Amino acid sequence: MSFDHLSHTMAARFGDAPAIADDNGSFTFNELDSRVGAFAAQLRELGFGRGDVLAVILPNRVELVVAMFAAWRLGGAITPVNPAFTQTEATRQVGDSGAKFAITTGPDAPSGGAPTILVDDMRTETDDAPEPVDVSADDLALLIYTSGSTGRPKGVMLDHANTDAMSRIMGDHIKLTADDHSLLILPLFHVNAIMVSVLAPLRRGARATIAGQFSPSTFFDRVEKARPTYFSAVPTIYSLLVSLPPEVQPDTSSLRFVVCGAAPVSKEILEASAKRFGFNMIEGYGLTEGTCASACNPVDGVQKLGTVGPALPEQTIRIVRPDGTDADVDEPGEVLISGPTVMRGYLGNPEATAKTVIDGWLHTGDVGSLDADGYLKLVDRIKDMIIRGGENIYPKEIESVLAAVDGVLEAAVIGRPDPVLGEVPVAYVVAYPGAQLDEETLREHCRTHLARVKVPVAVHVVEALPKNPVGKISKPALRESDAALAAGNQGN
């Protein structure tokens, strides 16, 4: 089959138009495909072929994209690995994926135990580029590992039907044309970066610029120089941007819109970002298991603050009660997703797959509700729900109340084990630079706006919240540090 997200297909359509750039250079569609053909020839000589997996352990740079397209040219797949992983972490993913080779930055970089190809040794020219194999819709394309926020990381199998559908649907939804230009700032080991910032624009003949590393102090310099029409980021990045000194007044006129996803964001951060920088911010929602996005507010049209928009085209969202029946309008329940972007399954884990995808419906583990217009409002993760003396408490509700206090930049609420009540809510808050927050005043604010059972037993003002590699607040890490804090207090 011929897919529009493959490099040779795009080169045939867009030729010498600019395609992709990073901190080291830029390439047209023809030049990109030439690099892909050269590296594919090198991989073929090494014995890489259909059904094989290539581990790519690189920071954000164009070679990661070249490696992905080269593996696909030969009928293989890639598993992108966080380059900040230790050898132990890399070995776990590379070993589980069965990767035949690993691309690394140097001999001392983690390789996961696979035979390595150094990035500087990747072939860039050849007279013998292999012809692209005829990949099928169910050929594995990407093996993306979950962050492990709900347990041991699992390999999410995404095939070419998934990647083709997601990049096409997202491109349609955000109305990409050849005049668009994405600025990629999220890590390329995450499916959001691959789908929203690389494949969606490239298949439309648009450009992508890869930022090697995100820095809030230099980010707007890059925006003013590159003049992108959009970028996709996580709430933490927007929090860092709105925390910049007031004298930072960038030119953001090139930006048609910006995307916020990967984790819930407070209404206050959305409003502050839009007011300060003039962002047309569209919030979306999805999972790796759904190939990135399943709901998104429109770029043009009705944008409902506090929702993540309606279901994307070709996808369906249901809200179900614990007994499996459909919830009413505005009634919370588990979010279920169906459509062409639902994963093939978890690699080597049929039990987890069977629990997650049932009769074609992806069970997300998220609690949400649909309004009368079909816009999805997220409530919380089912596993993050706190049960205090038999009362169900959703941390996101408490976090939203805390985020409304002047000076609060981020807030996270977790359940702390309690011998009498089972669990009690505990809050951790980060202040804006220069802001002063009083912990008891924050609790009093919660008493004013929340039922007594939902008021945190403690509010801790901290310098930073733990984050996972994608930038989401890590509730498991926060629970660990809170357990240590609670144990220390008991010992005093």
Side-chain angles (χ1 to χ4, degrees):
M1 294 180 66
S2 178
F3 291 102
D4 286 346
H5 66 277
L6 302 176
S7 66
H8 63 279
T9 305
M10 293 186 289
R13 295 176 63 200
F14 307 120
D16 292 327
I20 197 163
D22 65 6
D23 295 340
N24 298 312
S26 60
F27 304 88
T28 67
F29 284 93
N30 280 334
E31 289 168 341
L32 173 62
D33 190 52
S34 178
R35 288 280 296 268
V36 169
F39 185 54
Q42 182 179 359
L43 286 176
R44 180 184 59 182
E45 291 172 11
L46 292 170
F48 185 93
R50 182 182 287 277
D52 289 333
V53 175
L54 177 67
V56 186
I57 315 175
L58 296 176
N60 278 14
R61 53 190 295 176
V62 75
E63 285 84 0
L64 195 155
V65 177
V66 169
M68 177 178 72
F69 286 133
W72 292 353
R73 192 183 189 98
L74 297 172
I78 72 160
T79 184
V81 183
N82 183 351
F85 271 0
T86 63
Q87 185 68 263
T88 299
E89 291 169 316
T91 299
R92 184 182 301 136
Q93 179 172 335
V94 173
D96 186 73
S97 71
K100 194 163 187 174
F101 299 99
I103 304 174
T104 70
T105 54
D108 297 326
S111 65
T116 60
I117 302 169
L118 301 187
V119 66
D120 290 340
D121 293 335
M122 289 176 62
R123 190 175 301 169
T124 59
E125 295 179 347
T126 187
D127 293 325
D128 188 28
E131 287 296 316
V133 304
D134 186 18
V135 296
S136 63
D138 60 358
D139 278 336
L140 185 65
L142 295 167
L143 190 55
I144 308 286
Y145 278 73
T146 61
S147 62
S149 58
T150 57
R152 186 182 179 90
K154 297 185 286 289
V156 176
M157 295 187 292
L158 303 176
D159 56 31
H160 281 284
N162 296 140
T163 53
D164 179 66
M166 185 72 260
S167 56
R168 172 176 48 79
I169 289 169
M170 199 66 199
D172 288 343
H173 182 72
I174 57 181
K175 301 181 178 179
L176 293 182
T177 72
D179 294 328
D180 276 301
H181 180 185
S182 81
L183 177 60
L184 188 157
I185 57 176
L186 294 178
L188 271 166
F189 56 80
H190 189 254
V191 71
N192 183 307
I194 296 173
M195 292 296 154
V196 179
S197 298
V198 176
L199 293 183
L202 290 187
R203 65 180 292 157
R204 297 300 180 96
R207 289 188 291 160
T209 293
I210 300 172
Q213 190 170 8
F214 170 78
S215 168
S217 62
T218 61
F219 173 71
F220 285 116
D221 294 334
R222 188 182 290 271
V223 169
E224 291 177 350
K225 181 180 179 181
R227 305 290 295 169
T229 60
Y230 78 97
F231 66 86
S232 178
V234 295
T236 296
I237 286 177
Y238 292 109
S239 297
L240 292 170
L241 293 179
V242 299
S243 300
L244 289 170
E247 59 268 22
V248 177
Q249 298 291 329
D251 176 5
T252 61
S253 60
S254 70
L255 292 167
R256 187 162 63 88
F257 63 92
V258 300
V259 183
C260 184
V265 62
S266 71
K267 178 170 70 76
E268 287 70 26
I269 291 296
L270 286 172
E271 291 176 334
S273 298
K275 181 178 180 180
R276 179 168 178 185
F277 303 120
F279 290 160
N280 174 22
M281 184 178 288
I282 60 170
E283 190 179 0
Y285 162 77
L287 285 74
T288 303
E289 289 89 340
T291 323
C292 176
S294 295
C296 189
N297 273 285
V299 174
D300 303 313
V302 178
Q303 299 176 1
K304 295 191 179 184
L305 193 64
T307 78
V308 292
L312 287 170
E314 302 178 43
Q315 300 191 53
T316 304
I317 293 177
R318 289 174 59 203
I319 306 297
V320 299
R321 304 183 181 102
D323 63 4
T325 58
D326 288 327
D328 293 330
V329 170
D330 294 326
E331 179 186 355
E334 186 179 7
V335 180
L336 272 57
I337 297 164
S338 71
T341 60
V342 173
M343 68 171 180
R344 182 195 302 181
Y346 296 116
L347 179 69
N349 198 335
E351 296 83 4
T353 300
K355 292 178 181 178
T356 304
V357 181
I358 303 173
D359 296 329
W361 289 94
L362 173 63
H363 289 241
T364 67
D366 289 320
V367 179
S369 62
L370 290 172
D371 70 10
D373 298 319
Y375 281 61
L376 175 63
K377 182 179 181 180
L378 295 176
V379 178
D380 223 319
R381 290 283 301 169
I382 290 176
K383 292 185 177 180
D384 285 341
M385 185 176 69
I386 300 166
I387 303 177
R388 182 180 188 175
E391 295 279 352
N392 293 346
I393 300 170
Y394 290 108
K396 190 171 183 289
E397 181 182 3
I398 307 172
E399 291 162 0
S400 296
V401 168
L402 288 166
V405 176
D406 288 342
V408 171
L409 180 62
E410 292 183 299
V413 174
I414 57 170
R416 177 186 290 174
D418 183 89
V420 177
L421 298 172
E423 289 180 297
V424 292
V426 177
Y428 285 82
V429 169
V430 176
Y432 274 93
Q436 298 295 319
L437 296 175
D438 177 74
E439 295 177 353
E440 186 51 40
T441 301
L442 291 169
R443 284 196 74 217
E444 184 59 35
H445 177 80
C446 290
R447 293 188 190 99
T448 302
H449 296 279
L450 294 167
R452 183 178 177 183
V453 70
K454 300 175 184 177
V455 175
V457 299
V459 177
H460 302 288
V461 178
V462 295
E463 291 187 0
L465 295 170
K467 307 283 174 56
N468 68 17
V470 180
K472 297 182 186 179
I473 294 172
S474 175
K475 292 286 182 81
L478 195 57
R479 292 188 189 99
E480 288 182 15
S481 61
D482 183 74
L485 176 64
N489 290 337
Q490 289 175 359
N492 292 334

